Amino acid sequence: MNVNPSPVEQAYLRAIATGATMTRRLEMVAEAARIHRPEYTALVDDFVRRLDIVRTGDAAPVEGQAMPSFTLPDHDGHFVRLEELTGETPLVIAFHRGHWCPYCRLNMMGLAEVSDRIAPARIVTISTETQRYTRGLRDLAKADFPFLTDVSAGYALQLGLAVWIDPALAQIIASVGWDVPSYQGGTDWVMPVPAVFVLDAKGIVRTRHIDRDYRRRMDMDDLVAAVRALA
């Protein structure tokens, strides 16, 4: 963490300290960004509009479809297969952008906070970051579920969730010290659209939440309700 955190990071730290819902915590960060980083917010708004136009994520599995199989390394480098996570209980799969994103940090903390409420259902998260960063984010979130690495965004590409960050947006992200490609072990500015899939014990999608605006995430109470509906 920076010695002198930016106003956006300060908002993130305030959000953690509040007893607000995760949705409100995300709004606190977004509001700070609009006030203190208007040029960045304008680029993000334009990027989201373009994702909306091409309907990024619409091709991902919908309710009633089987979730495509994966084999991905976890935070400790052990390979995990989708079929090892299903078969007995529901499964929540959450895609996120990485440890550098304050919205994703809050999202991972939110998932950790509700993990007991949805037990025995399992949670697994997926990003394009390497184990060094997935381990750190898992520890920060105080999570006890796997954080998987989608190498070169291959699985996100298969699902239609991968997006390339345009040079202007990438430049402004890098200008504040976030070297996103290095966190992913490569050189490309590619990452998944944040998404949540709730699967039943047979690996069938029963609920999905995809928001092309990464500043918004699935409400945790809605997630709990979706999982409990499968009991």
Side-chain angles (χ1 to χ4, degrees):
M1 185 66 64
N2 296 331
V3 175
N4 298 307
S6 70
V8 174
E9 285 290 328
Q10 290 176 27
Y12 156 76
L13 293 172
R14 288 195 300 272
I16 294 175
T18 70
T21 64
M22 193 194 70
T23 297
R24 177 57 192 145
R25 295 178 196 177
L26 296 172
E27 291 173 348
M28 291 172 65
V29 177
E31 289 165 1
R34 289 192 182 279
I35 294 171
H36 299 286
R37 300 291 308 279
E39 73 291 349
Y40 176 67
T41 297
L43 286 172
V44 172
D45 288 344
D46 181 65
F47 184 67
V48 171
R49 281 193 293 269
R50 285 184 276 130
L51 294 181
D52 285 339
I53 289 171
V54 298
R55 306 203 61 80
T56 300
D58 277 9
V62 299
E63 289 83 353
Q65 293 182 338
M67 194 71 179
S69 181
F70 62 69
T71 301
L72 300 172
D74 69 7
H75 51 277
D76 288 325
H78 303 131
F79 282 97
V80 175
R81 297 172 59 246
L82 173 62
E83 291 76 13
E84 296 169 352
L85 301 171
T86 57
E88 296 181 359
T89 66
L91 174 67
V92 175
I93 301 176
F95 286 83
H96 65 98
R97 290 150 43 97
H99 82 287
W100 59 276
C101 171
Y103 303 94
C104 297
R105 283 180 245 146
L106 290 171
N107 191 199
M108 297 303 102
M109 292 176 188
L111 288 171
E113 289 170 1
V114 301
S115 60
D116 287 344
R117 293 173 60 192
I118 65 172
R122 296 180 174 184
I123 300 174
V124 64
T125 76
I126 300 176
S127 75
T128 49
E129 294 197 309
T130 62
Q131 279 74 44
R132 173 183 176 185
Y133 302 103
T134 58
R135 283 196 301 271
L137 181 54
R138 183 175 185 266
D139 291 343
L140 178 68
K142 298 180 181 179
D144 61 1
F145 42 82
F147 279 53
L148 307 185
T149 297
D150 182 15
V151 180
S152 299
Y155 190 55
L157 280 167
Q158 179 184 352
L159 301 183
L161 293 174
V163 295
W164 281 263
I165 307 303
D166 63 66
L169 189 53
Q171 183 177 23
I172 202 167
I173 293 172
S175 71
V176 296
W178 298 125
D179 187 3
V180 174
S182 74
Y183 305 149
Q184 301 173 157
T187 59
D188 296 324
W189 282 81
V190 60
M191 61 189 71
V193 171
V196 174
F197 298 88
V198 178
L199 314 185
D200 64 20
K202 295 181 179 179
I204 304 300
V205 177
R206 295 305 176 189
T207 301
R208 80 167 192 173
H209 182 276
I210 299 172
D211 199 319
R212 291 177 278 268
D213 188 338
Y214 65 81
R215 296 166 293 193
R216 300 192 297 254
R217 306 296 168 98
M218 186 176 189
D219 183 82
M220 291 294 101
D221 286 339
D222 290 343
L223 175 61
V224 171
V227 173
R228 289 180 174 174
L230 300 176

